[in-house]
Amino acid sequence: MASSSRAMSALRPVQFAPRASSISSSPAATTRAFATSSQRTLKFVPTSRPHAPSIARQTTLARQFQRAYADAAPLPPPKKPGKVRTTFKWLWRLTYLSAIGLTVGVGYTIYVDRNPQPQFEADPTKKTLVVLGTGWGSVSLLKKLDTENYNVIVISPRNYFLFTPLLPSCTTGLIEHRSIMEPVRAILQHKKAAVKFYEAEASSIDPERKVVMITDNSEVKGATSQTEIPYDMLVIGVGAENATFGIPG
């Protein structure tokens, strides 16, 4: 029995004590071991330069692709727009340009009306044209008259032009009185040469001396209420007065 027990003890495996490095489970040791193994296993393998046969093969393929692209059927032409669409397109362009032109024209008209050009002074060597009144005949003449050829003088007790056809609308309250009155200044300031205006009444005319006697009957009078205006040509456009023959109403 003693010999058998001695033999069994001899057959038992011998257990070795583990090494300190193998049983170490700290994170720092694990990271250091992984980094060491990675540095030992990773290798950089440089790419090899393509050989000449591969370059020639690529060039051949590119030429074949170009030849096939050139031999392909051409693309169909783009579809033309219809007549209705073309018409609306041109109408829109015409409307757009017309709106721009109208805006520019209105702006230019307003600018010229508010900023008249400087006028020439009267020339003593030219003839003097005297216009009496600011009615239909006188205003029509002043609008079409070239003041560079004459020294123009306007005499009238009213400094505005009255559009008489709209007087019934003023009485009914449809429009205001100032809407049918046009100042004479607005007509004369756009002339090339300066025009003199006397707000007075022509009391008498002397055709032999060619002189018009004017009288200032307004509420605001100056130092002189009567004076004489010489003329070379005279236009009488004072209008007419209604003869009611004393009939009331």
Side-chain angles (χ1 to χ4, degrees), residues 90-100:
W90 282 105
L91 285 176
W92 163 249
R93 292 178 180 177
L94 182 61
T95 305
Y96 184 73
L97 294 176
S98 301
I100 294 177

Side-chain angles (χ1 to χ4, degrees), residues 1-218:
M1 292 295 292
S3 61
S4 61
S5 60
R6 194 179 295 111
M8 291 296 293
S9 61
L11 293 176
R12 290 179 181 176
V14 180
Q15 296 181 358
F16 299 95
R19 299 176 62 180
S21 60
S22 61
I23 63 175
S24 177
S25 60
S26 62
T30 306
T31 304
R32 184 166 54 254
F34 177 76
T36 305
S37 61
S38 300
Q39 292 178 359
R40 291 179 180 178
T41 56
L42 293 178
K43 293 182 179 180
F44 176 75
V45 181
T47 57
S48 59
R49 187 176 181 180
H51 300 286
S54 61
I55 297 176
R57 190 181 301 106
Q58 292 178 2
T59 305
T60 305
L61 292 176
R63 291 178 179 177
Q64 292 178 358
F65 176 76
Q66 292 178 358
R67 189 179 298 108
Y69 180 78
D71 295 340
L75 297 175
K79 187 178 180 181
K80 295 182 179 180
K83 294 183 179 180
V84 178
R85 184 176 180 181
T86 304
T87 303
F88 276 105
K89 183 186 295 184
W90 282 105
L91 285 176
W92 163 249
R93 292 178 180 177
L94 182 61
T95 305
Y96 184 73
L97 294 176
S98 301
I100 294 177
L102 180 62
T103 304
V104 173
V106 172
Y108 178 75
T109 303
I110 295 175
Y111 175 79
V112 171
D113 185 51
R114 295 185 177 182
N115 300 276
Q117 298 294 330
Q119 296 177 330
F120 301 104
E121 296 297 332
D123 188 359
T125 60
K126 296 180 181 179
K127 294 184 178 181
T128 302
L129 174 64
V130 177
V131 180
L132 301 180
T134 54
W136 288 91
S138 300
V139 170
S140 299
L141 173 65
L142 291 174
K143 287 184 177 180
K144 298 180 180 180
L145 181 64
D146 187 3
T147 57
E148 288 184 335
N149 300 328
Y150 310 96
N151 297 326
V152 183
I153 299 175
V154 181
I155 302 172
S156 176
R158 298 183 306 182
N159 60 354
Y160 58 88
F161 166 70
L162 182 64
F163 192 78
T164 53
L166 290 179
L167 282 174
S169 300
C170 293
T171 57
T172 56
L174 294 178
I175 57 177
E176 297 182 359
H177 290 81
R178 60 182 180 180
S179 300
I180 63 174
M181 293 188 299
E182 182 180 4
V184 179
R185 179 183 66 256
I187 302 173
L188 302 181
Q189 68 180 356
H190 296 291
K191 294 297 180 179
K192 295 182 179 179
V195 179
K196 291 183 179 181
F197 178 79
Y198 292 94
E199 189 173 353
E201 295 181 359
S203 57
S204 62
I205 301 174
D206 189 351
E208 295 181 359
R209 297 172 51 204
K210 290 188 175 182
V211 172
V212 177
M213 179 66 69
I214 62 175
T215 304
D216 185 8
N217 295 327
S218 62

